[in-house]
Amino acid sequence: MELHWDGNNTSVDERNRSAAFGTGALPPTLDRPSIHRTEDWLLDAAPPAYPYPVDAALASKGKPVYAEHCARCHGASGTDFTGELVGKVTPIDVIKTDRHRLDSYSFALCVNQGQLYAAYPSERFQHFRKTNGYANQPLDGVWLRAPYLHNGSVPNLWSLLEPSSMRPASFFRGYDVYDPRNVGFVATVGKEGQKAFFAYDTTLPGNGNFGHEGPAYGTDLPEDSKQALIEYLKTF
Ligand code: HEC
């Protein structure tokens, strides 16, 4: 699959070595066995189950809504990732989410990445590509991934199913208390004791909470269909 948000790589190994490089590992010091062990573990790791009650009858009503509106991009279910467009990139003009991340990965950067590991021919990157959008990814464990979208600009699933004009313009990130009503972490609390949470301002460049909206993305579904869809997504 073309993943890594903008779909710029199909190789998990290259993505991981690139991330290790970015956080300070150098080709001679890279802990290859640990990276491979993590990779192998991740390949079939199952997400933790949703920890609150799930209304099975409501979730079963959400299943066909998901199949109709979401499955072709996000996979048949939380465990079956088949689907016409899964692991492919949706062009930015279609998905219309914030394009700063996409633009920050330039063609020049892509070419320069090919120079890394120059003394290690078998490890030089071959799969990085400049793309023109964001990737359609599987949604396993989606309940635990909030805040949503590549820039974490939408605090919960309920808001993601609202048009962007209705999504919170600012909220707090970093609180670990769960919000089972909206499905995400509580994002309205700025401080607990000595701990201040990060104030996320969606009006800043790169922080936009728009896109992934309109009839193709479920934001104009009737409220009861949205509720059923969210209940179903809790089972992923
Ligand atoms: C045309 C393909 C397409 C369709 C249809 C689609 N999505 Fe998406 N979805 C995407 C893309 C691309 C992204 C990533 C956008 C970004 O991060 O900027 C995304 C992101 C998401 C995310 C955020 C994932 C995360 O980890 O942050 C969720 C949740 C989601 N979609 C749910 C849905 C649901 C539910 C539906 C159906 C109502 C749906 N999508 C329909 C392409 C699609």
Side-chain angles (χ1 to χ4, degrees):
M1 293 191 196
E2 297 163 22
L3 293 177
H4 205 201
W5 294 114
D6 53 359
N8 67 12
N9 205 320
T10 54
S11 158
V12 176
D13 184 54
E14 285 193 12
R15 192 229 74 98
N16 289 347
R17 274 190 289 116
S18 167
F21 205 77
T23 50
L26 296 172
T29 63
L30 195 65
D31 181 356
R32 290 165 177 81
S34 294
I35 292 191
H36 288 135
R37 205 164 63 240
T38 313
E39 253 165 46
D40 286 345
W41 171 74
L42 271 172
L43 281 175
D44 60 359
Y50 188 74
Y52 299 99
V54 176
D55 179 337
L58 186 58
S60 71
K61 284 192 191 133
K63 195 175 171 180
V65 181
Y66 178 86
E68 186 181 343
H69 296 277
C70 323
R72 74 194 164 102
C73 286
H74 289 297
S77 75
T79 48
D80 175 353
F81 307 141
T82 54
E84 190 195 336
L85 301 172
V86 182
K88 305 227 158 43
V89 169
T90 297
I92 192 70
D93 296 342
V94 175
I95 194 77
K96 293 191 171 89
T97 51
D98 193 297
R99 63 173 301 143
H100 282 79
R101 178 191 158 112
L102 173 66
D103 294 341
S104 74
Y105 190 81
S106 62
F107 183 67
L109 173 54
C110 178
V111 169
N112 279 308
Q113 269 185 308
Q115 305 301 315
L116 302 176
Y117 295 96
Y120 299 76
S122 68
E123 291 188 323
R124 278 177 82 162
F125 297 137
Q126 298 172 28
H127 295 89
F128 278 100
R129 295 284 181 274
K130 173 64 191 155
T131 70
N132 189 34
Y134 291 112
N136 308 324
Q137 76 278 55
L139 294 182
D140 45 330
V142 71
W143 70 269
L144 194 50
R145 295 197 209 170
Y148 296 102
L149 297 182
H150 69 272
N151 54 3
S153 60
V154 182
N156 51 59
L157 283 183
W158 184 257
S159 302
L160 188 65
L161 287 175
E162 296 271 74
S164 59
S165 59
M166 308 278 284
R167 296 172 185 164
S170 59
F171 59 93
F172 294 98
R173 294 188 56 151
Y175 200 23
D176 60 2
V177 173
Y178 204 74
D179 172 3
R181 154 90 187 84
N182 296 306
V183 187
F185 293 93
V186 171
T188 49
V189 174
K191 203 168 183 274
E192 191 183 62
Q194 295 301 308
K195 219 172 170 186
F197 302 117
F198 180 78
Y200 191 106
D201 177 357
T202 62
T203 65
L204 295 175
N207 284 9
N209 64 356
F210 38 79
H212 198 279
E213 59 189 311
Y217 302 93
T219 57
D220 57 358
L221 287 169
E223 180 149 340
D224 55 345
S225 302
K226 288 185 187 176
Q227 238 134 27
L229 177 57
I230 290 177
E231 206 64 17
Y232 179 57
L233 288 173
K234 290 176 183 174
T235 68
F236 276 35

